[in-house]
Amino acid sequence: LQDVLQQLSFSFGIRSIMVEGGSSILSSFAAQGLVNCVCITIAPKLLGQDKGLPSIHAIPKLIDLVGGSFLTLGRDCIFVAKWPS
């Protein structure tokens, strides 16, 4: 991941990306220290039919996010906070 991010920066001047994914991709970024901000969208919906939410398994400890704010959009809520350095 680090090589891909460096290439994006060098070739295209990209300095920031938003990663959306499941537990595997999010865990990969977190385990390699590539997270600086977290944006969590909370919607009033539950998944069923064996589509439950997996855990973010590569994070070995509790992460105390820094700051944080909530934004309400209709029935959804968005939480944004800094990842500790």
Side-chain angles (χ1 to χ4, degrees):
L1 289 174
Q2 187 69 40
D3 292 341
V4 171
L5 295 175
Q6 287 176 344
Q7 188 64 33
L8 287 172
S9 177
F10 180 76
S11 298
F12 302 103
I14 295 173
R15 297 176 45 118
S16 178
I17 64 169
M18 181 176 140
V19 176
E20 292 187 70
S23 64
S24 294
I25 189 70
L26 297 175
S27 294
S28 296
F29 275 83
Q32 294 182 41
L34 300 174
V35 178
N36 65 0
C37 181
V38 176
C39 177
I40 301 169
T41 302
I42 304 165
K45 296 171 180 44
L46 295 175
L47 299 173
Q49 298 291 329
D50 297 325
K51 302 218 185 318
L53 301 174
S55 65
I56 301 177
H57 51 81
I59 300 174
K61 60 181 180 174
L62 175 70
I63 301 295
D64 190 11
L65 300 173
V66 179
S69 61
F70 287 94
L71 172 66
T72 302
L73 296 171
R75 294 178 55 211
D76 297 348
C77 180
I78 299 173
F79 173 71
V80 179
K82 293 284 186 184
W83 191 271
S85 5

